[in-house]
Structure formats: structure tokens, C-alpha cells
Amino acid sequence: MNKISVIIPMYNSQDYIGQCLRSVISQTYRNLEVLVIDDGSTDKSVEICQSYCQKDKRIRLLLQEHGGVSVARNRGLDTAKGAYLFFLDSDDMIHPYLLEELISHARQNQTKFLFCKYKRGDGTQTEEIFPEASMAAEKRGRRKWEEARVGEDVVWFYKRYARELLGIGGKLISREIIGTLRFEESLKRGEDTLFLHELLGKKLWVGCCLYPWYYYRTRPDSLSHSGQTDDEAYLEIYSKVRDTEFESKRFGFAFVWENTIFYLLKKSYTEAVRRKEKQRCCVIKEKAGKERRHPMYRKLSLMTRSVIWLCFYCHPVYLWFIEPFYKRLEEKNNCAGRQG
């Protein structure tokens, strides 16, 4: 019976960590090791976790100075003993059947990377989020799983399940395929995107459970869901992945990231103009100029390049006439949602 190590990075989650842990210890699959890595919380998160440690010996609390979510996750990876690792954020919750469903499918199909669909919201009670009606799909005979054969995993990352593969939360991964791979600790945003991109580049057999049994809570001060106003924080990681795809001559995938980079640059520049942040405008414009010299830029359509030029060199025209027409189309097609 394979042990699952549940890795939960935590920072100032006193309002949510109790519900998170209750959803874990309520799992029908019992062979668990629950690692909560506190990243220097200043609220009552640690005290709450300590009380749960006393109730359930499977829970271990690891303390560290504030170093960021990647440092916390890496410590979990280095400490975990399970054959499979499951990633869960401290403000999220999981359905009581989820881990049993994932590990059963892993054993039966030799699948090394598994995940499920998710729900998003800000609800408060587990029982309200995962009603028994969630089992209705099975009773109607609906397929519960989809499989990506070897070589199809990267297509899932970009197309079929791009939304579900934005972040690491809710992923059950074999320790064997993770190996020495770790989260990039220098990145402030998008570190899990890079981790997943590198992992799925190994040509894995991937499974997706079609039930939305991961509850993803959105809140302003979340450890990994922070609504940062300036999207420039994601540019470093997106540029890295774009360059990797470009160097591998997978231009179709590099094209996705190129569009995403300029979407974020245009969005950030427009925000800076509206706030009259002249220095920030100059910095973003300089970044855009650098990106326009990248070989992938010439692969964008003439219309797209014209819109980009108007944004940075004739912004009033862009703002008054171009932005309203392109905003909805871009949000749909350019994977800008990758920052989660």
C-alpha cells in the first residue's frame, strides 16, 4: 500500500489551515504522511497546526524562516518519505475521495502523474463544496478519467488541460519521476509553472480525474494566489519557458509564450499609464523593446505587432480604439491566465 506524502506550504493561513487539514485527515485513503511547512507565519497558523498534530500523528509541522513558497515546497520534497507526493496549498481543500481515487488509478495503470479538475471560490465549509451529488456523474456512466499517452502530456499542458496545469496544487506525482527536480527558489511568481513544464517535458503517461475534487480558494493575501497588480513578476519565468521551447525548435509552443509575454507587458504598461507612474512606464517600455528584438517576435502576425507598437509608442490611440476590441480576444487565446 503506497504511502502518499501530502506537502502543504503555509504562510499566515490561520483562517484556512484548519479546513485544509480536516479535508486531508478525512481522506478515505489512510496511508498518508502530512507535511506542513510553515514559512515564518506571524499569525496563529502554527498554533492551529500544533493542535492538529496532537489529534493526528500523521501530521508533521516543519518550521522555517520566511523564505518563500518554493523554499517551503523544496523542504517538503527533501523530507517526504512517500512513494507518491501530493501538493496542496494551505488555503485549499480536497474531496474526501480524491487521494484514494488518484492512487488507485496510479496503481492500476502505472500512471506517474495524476490530477483532477477543480472548483474555484471563497466558500467556507467543506460539506458545502463537495456535496454527495458529485458522485452523480459516475452513476450516469460518465467517463471518470482521461489519459495522455507518452508524448501527449505537453499538449495537455498547452491546450486540453492548460487551466488545470497552471499550478502544482492537486497534483499527485511519483517520487521516481521528480527525482532531483526542485522549485526555482529565486522566482517570486510562476515557479510551479516552470516545475510542471520541466516535469511534463519528460514525456509522461498522465491521468486526469474528471471530477472537480480540488477546491481552489482565491483570496488577496494567499501564499500562491496573490493578486499582484504588476504582472511583470511573471515575465522572467515566461521568458525562460519561451526560450526553452524556441531553442528546442518547438515554435508552436514558443508562440504561445510570446503572445503571453506581450499580453502582460501591454497590460502592465496600460496600468502604469493610468496611474501616472512614469518611471515604471519607462521600465516596462524598455522591457518591451528588448522583447521585440527576440527572434520569436517576427513570428507574430503583422496585426499583432502593429497593436504592440501602438501600445508603447502611440498609447492614446491604443487605449481609445484598439484595447476595447482586442482585450476579450486576447484573454481567451493568449494563455494570460497562466498566472493563476
Side-chain angles (χ1 to χ4, degrees):
M1 191 174 184
N2 298 113
K3 176 174 285 188
I4 299 176
S5 294
V6 181
I7 298 175
I8 308 175
M10 178 180 70
Y11 179 70
N12 288 350
S13 299
Q14 64 178 15
D15 295 331
Y16 312 103
I17 187 60
Q19 294 174 34
C20 175
L21 289 174
R22 285 199 299 275
S23 76
V24 175
I25 62 179
S26 298
Q27 292 295 300
T28 54
Y29 190 80
R30 307 300 296 170
N31 191 15
L32 305 177
E33 171 190 48
V34 186
L35 302 174
V36 182
I37 304 93
D38 180 69
D39 189 39
S41 293
T42 57
D43 62 2
K44 296 181 179 179
S45 298
V46 170
E47 292 92 322
I48 294 172
C49 281
Q50 288 172 337
S51 68
Y52 277 90
C53 289
Q54 295 175 358
K55 298 175 185 177
D56 194 317
K57 299 304 180 183
R58 296 176 298 174
I59 303 174
R60 293 177 57 194
L61 176 62
L62 307 177
L63 305 178
Q64 66 181 37
E65 295 183 0
H66 185 55
V69 63
S70 291
V71 176
R73 286 187 180 129
N74 284 341
R75 186 174 180 189
L77 283 171
D78 293 337
T79 306
K81 304 299 183 184
Y84 278 82
L85 310 177
F86 182 81
F87 295 89
L88 175 63
D89 285 344
S90 59
D91 46 2
D92 296 342
M93 291 179 283
I94 54 177
H95 191 285
Y97 301 153
L98 176 59
L99 295 183
E100 181 175 1
E101 180 68 24
L102 295 180
I103 197 66
S104 295
H105 191 84
R107 287 200 300 255
Q108 293 170 10
N109 299 276
Q110 302 301 309
T111 311
K112 304 296 185 180
F113 185 108
L114 309 98
F115 64 99
C116 71
K117 287 181 171 289
Y118 67 85
K119 292 184 179 181
R120 183 194 296 268
D122 58 359
T124 57
Q125 298 299 324
T126 310
E127 55 270 22
E128 295 174 0
I129 299 162
F130 302 116
E132 286 303 314
S134 65
M135 298 301 292
E138 181 179 3
K139 294 178 181 178
R140 291 195 301 268
R142 175 185 171 187
R143 288 182 62 194
K144 291 198 304 181
W145 282 87
E146 278 197 63
E147 295 274 355
R149 307 299 180 182
V150 173
E152 297 176 347
D153 50 352
V154 70
V155 178
W156 274 24
F157 180 75
Y158 283 102
K159 295 181 179 180
R160 186 167 185 80
Y161 287 110
R163 189 184 73 163
E164 285 78 12
L165 293 172
L166 300 181
I168 196 67
K171 310 304 184 291
L172 182 72
I173 309 172
S174 167
R175 169 190 293 279
E176 174 188 350
I177 66 166
I178 291 178
T180 59
L181 181 62
R182 294 295 183 267
F183 294 90
E184 178 55 63
E185 297 180 0
S186 65
L187 294 174
K188 295 182 179 179
R189 294 288 186 274
E191 71 292 326
D192 47 353
T193 301
L194 180 60
F195 184 89
L196 289 170
H197 181 264
E198 294 184 4
L199 195 63
L200 292 172
K202 296 183 178 183
K203 297 183 178 180
L204 308 176
W205 195 320
V206 181
C208 175
C209 177
L210 298 179
Y211 295 133
W213 283 353
Y214 187 93
Y215 182 75
Y216 177 96
R217 190 196 307 272
T218 54
R219 63 185 180 96
D221 58 339
S222 168
L223 183 66
S224 62
H225 317 324
S226 298
Q228 188 178 11
T229 55
D230 58 332
D231 295 301
E232 299 98 290
Y234 292 95
L235 291 174
E236 181 181 358
I237 172 60
Y238 292 169
S239 296
K240 281 186 177 182
V241 179
R242 186 267 318 271
D243 291 345
T244 298
E245 298 291 15
F246 178 78
E247 292 165 5
S248 301
K249 300 187 183 304
R250 298 197 298 188
F251 299 124
F253 295 142
F255 181 80
V256 173
W257 295 104
E258 186 73 1
N259 268 312
T260 302
I261 288 167
F262 276 104
Y263 171 87
L264 294 182
L265 284 167
K266 288 185 293 179
K267 180 181 175 184
S268 297
Y269 187 75
T270 299
E271 289 177 354
V273 169
R274 286 172 174 164
R275 295 176 183 178
K276 299 181 180 180
E277 299 172 338
K278 294 183 179 181
Q279 183 176 357
R280 185 178 167 211
C281 285
C282 292
V283 171
I284 299 171
K285 191 173 182 178
E286 184 178 345
K287 289 181 179 179
K290 180 180 179 181
E291 289 296 337
R292 289 176 67 227
R293 294 191 291 273
H294 193 280
M296 275 304 303
Y297 179 74
R298 288 295 167 188
K299 296 186 179 294
L300 299 176
S301 69
L302 177 60
M303 180 177 293
T304 299
R305 285 183 279 138
S306 298
V307 170
I308 291 170
W309 187 90
L310 285 171
C311 177
F312 295 104
Y313 299 99
C314 194
H315 195 73
V317 174
Y318 171 83
L319 191 62
W320 297 335
F321 297 105
I322 303 298
E323 186 186 32
F325 295 99
Y326 282 88
K327 185 175 181 181
R328 181 174 297 178
L329 182 62
E330 286 180 326
E331 288 178 347
K332 180 179 180 181
N333 295 322
N334 65 9
C335 292
R338 287 194 175 275
Q339 58 264 48

